[in-house]
Every structure is written in structure tokens, then in C-alpha cells.
Amino acid sequence: MSDMNRRELMVALSAFAAMGSVMAEAQAGPAAGPDGKLTRSVVFRYDKLPVSQHANGGTGRQVMSGTLATGEFVEVHETTLPAGQWAHPPHRHTNSEFTLVREGSLEFLSEGVTQAAGAGDVIFTASGLLHGTKNVGTTMASYFIVAVGIQKALPV
């Protein structure tokens, strides 16, 4: 992240804020029962998911978000990340996340330690830890995030 200039940092922060508002507005859709909880089994068709453009040149697809019948809040989205780009600045939040890497070469930063991740790898991010993801490859990277628990930003 040390190679980001102030302008790039502001663009990334703006994208992160916009992404958060999109996630907050997402609904459970066809998986929701009459009580609003995720009680119906459903297939979410990838080609039918709306695509949003990110300021860093990537895209996002919001799959779903809602509360399971067992009480946990879950949110699923897909991100494509251009070569050399951070998804957004390293940050902390209360929810835990699983990142399922579809394609590309990522660098995962957690509490100052970086690890490589590629297609087929799964990254687990525990609640409250400073983390971030950068595409260190030469092609577009894509991955799905499965977030569990209510997301609340924490101080960096």
C-alpha cells in the first residue's frame, strides 16, 4: 500500500464507501421467506447478477445478504480486481470473511503479514483484524467473499 499516492487512496476510500452502501441496500431476494429470513433454497444465476463498476477499474456482483434462520447475518459478493490494484485500503470490521479465489494472483495482507493466494485458494479473515487484498498478477483476478456476522467498521 505504500506505493499508493493520495489521489489513489481517496479514490479507493470512495469506492469502499460506495461498496458499503450497496451492500447495506442488498436484499435476500428469492431466498427470503415471509419473515425476511433466508429460509428458501435457491440458485443465484451468475449471468443475472447486476454488475457494478468500481473506481479502481474492477467490478462487483452483489449475490445476496440477509439473516439465516439460525440467526447469523451473511453476505455474498464477487469482485474482479485489475492487475496491480488493491480492492480498497486495508481495514477492520466486526464480521468474519471467507474469500474464495476464482482466478488470478492475490496478495492477502493481515495484521502486517502478507500471504500469496491463487485460483482455488480460500482465505479466512477473522473478526477485527486489519486486512486487505491486492492483485499482484498481470491479469484480472476474481474472487467471492462470504461474510458472516453484521459488518461494522472498526478503527484502523
Side-chain angles (χ1 to χ4, degrees):
M1 177 142 159
S2 60
D3 57 345
M4 289 181 81
N5 65 35
R6 205 175 326 180
R7 181 181 173 280
E8 292 169 328
L9 178 62
M10 295 312 294
V11 168
L13 286 172
S14 298
F16 186 53
M19 187 173 64
S21 67
V22 168
M23 287 183 209
E25 294 174 5
Q27 297 183 11
D35 61 357
K37 292 196 185 283
L38 300 171
T39 57
R40 295 185 180 141
S41 299
V42 64
V43 173
F44 293 92
R45 300 282 177 207
Y46 185 79
D47 61 344
K48 303 289 185 208
L49 297 173
V51 178
S52 61
Q53 298 296 317
H54 295 168
N56 64 8
T59 62
R61 284 179 168 84
Q62 185 65 32
V63 179
M64 54 77 64
S65 66
T67 304
L68 299 173
T70 52
E72 300 86 6
F73 181 82
V74 297
E75 185 267 331
V76 179
H77 67 272
E78 188 243 7
T79 297
T80 61
L81 189 58
Q85 295 293 310
W86 285 87
H88 39 70
H91 60 286
R92 300 176 195 269
H93 45 66
T94 54
N95 63 291
S96 298
E97 292 179 339
F98 296 90
T99 303
L100 296 81
V101 184
R102 268 183 65 196
E103 56 189 353
S105 299
L106 300 176
E107 180 177 83
F108 174 65
L109 170 71
S110 179
E111 294 293 321
V113 176
T114 59
Q115 296 180 64
D121 290 341
V122 176
I123 301 166
F124 173 69
T125 306
S127 172
L129 298 183
L130 181 67
H131 66 282
T133 305
K134 182 178 183 179
N135 181 348
V136 293
T138 58
T139 61
M140 192 72 78
S142 77
Y143 53 90
F144 282 90
I145 298 284
V146 179
V148 181
I150 299 295
Q151 183 173 13
K152 179 180 171 188
L154 296 172
V156 174

